[in-house]
Amino acid sequence: PYATPIMTFSLILGTTITISSNHWVLAWTGLEINTLAIIPLIAKSHHPRAVEAATKYFLTQAAASALVLFSSMTNAWVTGQWDITQMNHPTSCLLLTAAIAIKLGLVPFHFWFPEVLQGSPLMTALLLSTLMKFPPLTLLLLTSKSLDPALLTAMALASTAL
């Protein structure tokens, strides 16, 4: 009976940590708390399709989180800055754009999202489609001046068209 409130609190905590952070490691920690909190909610029914959806979600989000951490480490190595708003290295910006696109399920990296939603319960799918998008969108907004606007526009148009 205590598992669902704890997971809900963890979702709110992870989202709050990521949204309010100005350091890359803290933002990454919030993203990981969100990922680890939603997986039991996806696999709650113990149906094979739900377990498959939870596994797909975990693998996709782990790869995207690794890209976020790698891009921030690359930027810190080159510039000496761990501040989210100080993304200056072009390779770091490209890797961060890919990581955020994976986390948001934008068009080149969108194949995981419908399958995870199909295997999830309705309320969990609602959480995945709304609350779980706030932290990556916040990171996108905080780093938007450093990211390539043509690439972001192309991904947005392709996502809208699909």
Side-chain angles (χ1 to χ4, degrees), residues 12-123:
I12 294 169
L13 177 69
T15 301
T16 305
I17 287 173
T18 304
I19 287 174
S20 63
S21 66
N22 60 354
H23 193 276
W24 276 113
V25 175
L26 196 59
W28 176 78
T29 303
L31 291 172
E32 289 302 309
I33 290 172
N34 269 354
T35 299
L36 294 176
I38 198 76
I39 288 173
L41 295 177
I42 295 173
K44 189 176 182 180
S45 66
H46 300 293
H47 190 271
R49 191 167 179 125
V51 173
E52 178 186 354
T55 304
K56 285 180 184 178
Y57 184 79
F58 173 73
L59 292 175
T60 305
Q61 295 301 311
S65 290
L67 272 177
V68 167
L69 197 58
F70 183 67
S71 70
S72 64
M73 284 177 24
T74 304
N75 187 62
W77 189 357
V78 173
T79 64
Q81 292 289 327
W82 281 95
D83 190 16
I84 289 178
T85 59
Q86 300 296 321
M87 287 293 286
N88 298 326
H89 192 254
T91 305
S92 299
C93 291
L94 186 64
L95 287 173
L96 183 68
T97 303
I100 291 175
I102 291 170
K103 284 200 163 288
L104 289 173
L106 295 180
V107 153
F109 311 106
H110 72 284
F111 293 109
W112 66 272
F113 194 59
E115 295 178 13
V116 170
L117 288 181
Q118 286 177 354
S120 302
L122 187 61
M123 286 306 294

Side-chain angles (χ1 to χ4, degrees), residues 96-151:
L96 183 68
T97 303
I100 291 175
I102 291 170
K103 284 200 163 288
L104 289 173
L106 295 180
V107 153
F109 311 106
H110 72 284
F111 293 109
W112 66 272
F113 194 59
E115 295 178 13
V116 170
L117 288 181
Q118 286 177 354
S120 302
L122 187 61
M123 286 306 294
T124 305
L126 179 67
L127 283 173
L128 285 171
S129 300
T130 56
L131 183 68
M132 298 301 287
K133 301 300 180 200
F134 288 143
L137 279 174
T138 302
L139 293 178
L140 185 70
L141 287 173
L142 287 172
T143 59
S144 62
K145 66 177 178 63
S146 304
L147 304 179
D148 184 19
L151 180 61

